[in-house]
């Protein structure tokens, strides 16, 4: 009998159960659960153990996909368990690497040895009520995809044994949009996203800025020019500015044909409901 790993996360009418079998996966739709309590992302310092067969598959994949050296095989952090009680959502993480993660997403691996992650994503909003996100550049893992600023966790986000998700999101804001801490009025976690394409979790933040759309455009222009002058490429090839109103958001979602990260459409829709 194949081993089954089951994660359960429940709150009032919200529940998700993901059961993994080799070659089989039961998925539920994307859920956005309002955050009304602490979210703890705990690093156990344990390492993911993979079978010899999966290790060989990952090594062969990495040799092929990274022949030009465009990717860095750094650390990644796998969600080993998710729990919730009256006080907090809790994610328990183990260490793995980027090759394991990329092998999972590129090959749509949905068995018990796939890499499952939790990450922070920030939807920026300017002082004049314009949402800001980006289209990923061609040199990234997801060329052409629309997504909020955000990304994988880093050890620099650790505070003791816990990842500081706000710090992670604000770091990504600066690295992807050029938004410095002094441009941020507040950074508020608003939803936990579960389900979706790869069974990943994301902690979604509303990042309210103290600058106008026009100011952010100028900040980003200088930021991108500085990167290029250093021989680097911005992660976003285009920055999207979208008015925070239901009609504009509905029209954008209905008519824009680019791929969306699976948390972006429901996040925009939820935020529009608050206006």
């Amino acid at each position: 009998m194949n081993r089954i790993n089951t994660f359960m996360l429940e709150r009032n009418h919200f529940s998700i159960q993901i059961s993994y079998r080799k070659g089989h996966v039961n998925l539920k739709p994307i859920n956005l659960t309002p955050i009304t309590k602490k979210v703890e992302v705990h690093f156990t310092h344990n390492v993911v153990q993979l079978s010899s067969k999966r290790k060989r598959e990952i090594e062969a994949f990495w040799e092929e996909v990274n022949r030009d050296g465009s990717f860095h095989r750094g650390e990644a952090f796998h969600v080993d368990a998710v729990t919730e009680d009256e006080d907090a959502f809790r994610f328990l993480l183990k260490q793995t690497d980027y090759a394991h993660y990329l092998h999972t997403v590129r090959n749509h691996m949905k068995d018990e040895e796939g890499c499952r992650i939790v990450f922070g994503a920030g939807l920026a909003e300017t002082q004049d009520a314009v949402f800001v996100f980006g289209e990923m550049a061609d040199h990234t893992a997801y060329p052409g995809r629309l997504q909020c600023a955000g990304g994988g966790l880093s050890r620099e986000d650790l505070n003791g044994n816990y990842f500081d998700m706000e710090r992670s999101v604000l770091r990504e804001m600066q690295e992807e949009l050029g938004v410095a801490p002094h441009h941020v009025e507040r950074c508020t976690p608003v939803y936990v996203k579960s389900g979706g394409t790869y069974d990943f979790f994301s902690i979604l933040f509303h990042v309210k800025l103290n600058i106008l759309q026009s100011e952010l455009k100028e900040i980003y222009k200088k930021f991108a020019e500085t990167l290029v002058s250093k021989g680097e490429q911005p992660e976003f090839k285009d920055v999207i500015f979208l008015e925070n109103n239901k009609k504009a958001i509905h029209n954008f979602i209905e008519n824009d044909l680019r791929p969306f990260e699976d948390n972006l459409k429901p996040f925009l829709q939820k935020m529009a409901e608050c206006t």
Side-chain angles (χ1 to χ4, degrees), residues 2-24:
N2 292 322
R3 180 168 62 91
I4 300 177
N5 296 331
T6 301
F7 297 162
M8 177 68 80
L9 184 61
E10 295 184 344
R11 177 181 176 275
N12 298 330
H13 299 295
F14 166 81
S15 67
I16 179 169
Q17 182 168 325
I18 307 173
S19 299
Y20 296 94
R21 266 185 215 275
K22 200 155 191 173
H24 175 75

Side-chain angles (χ1 to χ4, degrees), residues 175-187:
E175 292 177 0
E176 295 179 357
L177 289 172
V179 171
H182 65 268
H183 298 136
V184 177
E185 180 180 313
R186 62 180 180 273
C187 181

Side-chain angles (χ1 to χ4, degrees), residues 135-137 139-140 172 175-176 227 233-237:
E135 179 183 354
M136 296 298 286
H139 69 279
T140 66
E172 294 287 347
E175 292 177 0
E176 295 179 357
L227 286 179
Q233 300 180 64
E235 290 195 45
F236 289 148
K237 68 178 178 182

Side-chain angles (χ1 to χ4, degrees), residues 121-135 146-150 173 176-179 205-209 211-217 220 236 238-244 252 264 267-268:
L123 181 61
E125 183 179 6
T126 63
Q127 203 170 41
D128 46 347
V130 175
F131 287 136
V132 185
F133 47 96
E135 179 183 354
L146 301 181
Q147 65 178 59
C148 296
M173 281 274 170
E176 295 179 357
L177 289 172
V179 171
F205 287 76
H206 178 209
V207 184
K208 184 67 175 178
L209 306 179
I211 54 177
L212 301 171
Q213 173 186 357
S214 58
E215 294 174 293
L216 180 52
K217 285 182 176 179
Y220 183 77
F236 289 148
D238 190 19
V239 176
I240 313 300
F241 295 89
L242 178 62
E243 291 183 15
N244 179 6
F252 182 80
L264 182 56
F267 194 11
L268 287 170

Side-chain angles (χ1 to χ4, degrees), residues 8-268:
M8 177 68 80
L9 184 61
E10 295 184 344
R11 177 181 176 275
N12 298 330
H13 299 295
F14 166 81
S15 67
I16 179 169
Q17 182 168 325
I18 307 173
S19 299
Y20 296 94
R21 266 185 215 275
K22 200 155 191 173
H24 175 75
V25 64
N26 295 323
L27 291 176
K28 288 195 174 182
I30 293 172
N31 287 289
L32 264 58
T33 303
I35 293 177
T36 59
K37 61 183 75 176
K38 292 188 298 182
V39 177
E40 296 180 348
V41 181
H42 178 217
F43 181 35
T44 66
H45 296 277
N46 295 322
V47 177
V48 171
Q49 300 298 317
L50 299 172
S51 66
S52 297
K53 180 176 182 293
R54 182 56 55 86
K55 287 179 181 178
R56 290 193 299 270
E57 291 172 354
I58 292 172
E59 292 303 321
F61 163 81
W62 185 253
E63 184 176 344
E64 174 65 23
V65 78
N66 200 39
R67 282 187 293 180
D68 61 357
S70 58
F71 296 123
H72 170 62
R73 191 169 181 170
E75 288 182 316
F77 300 93
H78 164 79
V79 176
D80 190 54
V82 182
T83 63
E84 185 191 10
D85 58 28
E86 293 181 358
D87 298 321
F89 293 105
R90 294 185 175 89
F91 296 85
L92 301 181
L93 273 55
K94 289 183 177 180
Q95 179 185 334
T96 184
D97 69 10
Y98 187 70
H100 182 202
Y101 162 80
L102 195 61
H103 177 264
T104 295
V105 299
R106 288 286 179 89
N107 294 284
H108 303 281
M109 305 301 297
K110 295 175 181 176
D111 62 10
E112 71 274 14
E113 291 195 296
C115 179
R116 300 175 296 279
I117 63 169
V118 59
F119 61 95
L123 181 61
E125 183 179 6
T126 63
Q127 203 170 41
D128 46 347
V130 175
F131 287 136
V132 185
F133 47 96
E135 179 183 354
M136 296 298 286
D138 293 340
H139 69 279
T140 66
Y142 301 100
R145 188 175 76 174
L146 301 181
Q147 65 178 59
C148 296
L153 298 175
S154 166
R155 281 184 184 265
E156 65 186 284
D157 303 321
L158 279 171
N159 184 6
N161 293 324
Y162 292 87
F163 285 99
D164 185 330
M165 300 304 295
E166 180 177 334
R167 181 193 301 172
S168 174
V169 166
L170 293 179
R171 173 175 55 79
E172 294 287 347
M173 281 274 170
Q174 190 154 15
E175 292 177 0
E176 295 179 357
L177 289 172
V179 171
H182 65 268
H183 298 136
V184 177
E185 180 180 313
R186 62 180 180 273
C187 181
T188 308
V190 285
Y191 296 104
V192 173
K193 171 262 173 185
S194 58
T197 309
Y198 304 111
D199 307 333
F200 291 167
F201 294 93
S202 49
I203 300 168
L204 304 178
F205 287 76
H206 178 209
V207 184
K208 184 67 175 178
L209 306 179
N210 57 21
I211 54 177
L212 301 171
Q213 173 186 357
S214 58
E215 294 174 293
L216 180 52
K217 285 182 176 179
E218 188 61 29
I219 288 168
Y220 183 77
K221 180 182 176 183
K222 292 179 180 177
F223 166 73
E225 287 173 348
T226 299
L227 286 179
V228 171
S229 71
K230 296 189 293 186
E232 300 176 20
Q233 300 180 64
E235 290 195 45
F236 289 148
K237 68 178 178 182
D238 190 19
V239 176
I240 313 300
F241 295 89
L242 178 62
E243 291 183 15
N244 179 6
N245 66 67
K246 292 180 182 179
K247 183 177 180 181
I249 290 171
H250 173 79
N251 288 340
F252 182 80
I253 290 173
E254 288 296 311
N255 297 315
D256 198 292
L257 300 180
R258 288 170 289 187
F260 284 63
E261 184 170 24
D262 61 9
N263 64 40
L264 182 56
K265 286 184 181 180
F267 194 11
L268 287 170

